[in-house]
Amino acid sequence: MMHFKGKYKINIPLMGMFINKQITVFNDNIVTLLGESFFLNRAINDELNPIQYICLGNSSNRARKKDISLGNEIIRKKCIKTVDLDKKRIQLTASFQAKEISGTREIGVSNGDILITHDVYNESVDDLLTATTGEITIDYFIELSSGAIRSTEWAPVSGKDNTYYLVEPNNVVEVIENNTGSGYSKIRPMATLSGTIKEVDDTKSSFYYDTNSKNLYIHTSDNLPPSTKEIIVFTR
């Protein structure tokens, strides 16, 4: 099972009398159902236009696999496209003025007709934009990974009500619960592993992959065991 995953970086230069550095805001996002269809169709015909735009909008509604457009698109820019064969990914780059990004909350890429990826980010980007009036570069990555259904190998984590784990030797890039049609949120590591697992236990539809132990921890969408779901684990 092949899978496409979107990632992006918003590169914000901060310059002033006593400061000259770049802050990068980054996140993963989803490839929409239409986006998956786009990639499959591009592999066998040339009826669809290639990816052309990075798009921004100001809706804060949660991004979903079934989305066909941004919640409220306000600007799009043509992007420069490169391919990294070693990392199995496409890189898209476009430049925006700070005032064009101010107030935006969502991002995606499009071929002009189809919304291929979608994500919503928080208000912290606006806070950073107050320190710059210059050009903002957005790098967008679409990565190819392979996945498999993993429904019978999970074990409960001792002392936790909602967290289950299994051993996965390959780096996990995404987890999808097929019945919900959306991906799990990736929990960022806390100061300790126990603290990170607690965060998973407190967050429905979430996962954390520990690269040291090779354990994948998940919390399903309704607190029920993974054995009651069709859990797809994507690795690279």
Side-chain angles (χ1 to χ4, degrees), residues 87-103:
K87 295 183 178 180
K88 297 180 181 178
R89 70 184 187 184
I90 301 166
Q91 179 171 341
L92 316 169
T93 301
S95 297
F96 297 78
Q97 294 300 310
K99 63 182 180 181
E100 294 175 321
I101 295 182
S102 180

Side-chain angles (χ1 to χ4, degrees), residues 113-124:
D113 303 307
I114 296 171
L115 180 67
I116 296 167
T117 66
H118 191 196
D119 189 43
V120 173
Y121 47 85
N122 60 38
E123 298 178 2
S124 64

Side-chain angles (χ1 to χ4, degrees), residues 56-80:
L56 302 176
N58 59 12
S59 172
S60 58
N61 293 334
R62 181 183 176 187
R64 297 184 181 276
K65 293 283 287 183
K66 63 183 180 181
D67 290 343
I68 61 174
S69 65
L70 296 188
N72 186 34
E73 182 178 330
I74 58 175
I75 190 170
R76 59 174 53 189
K77 291 285 185 77
K78 280 201 169 184
C79 51
I80 298 170

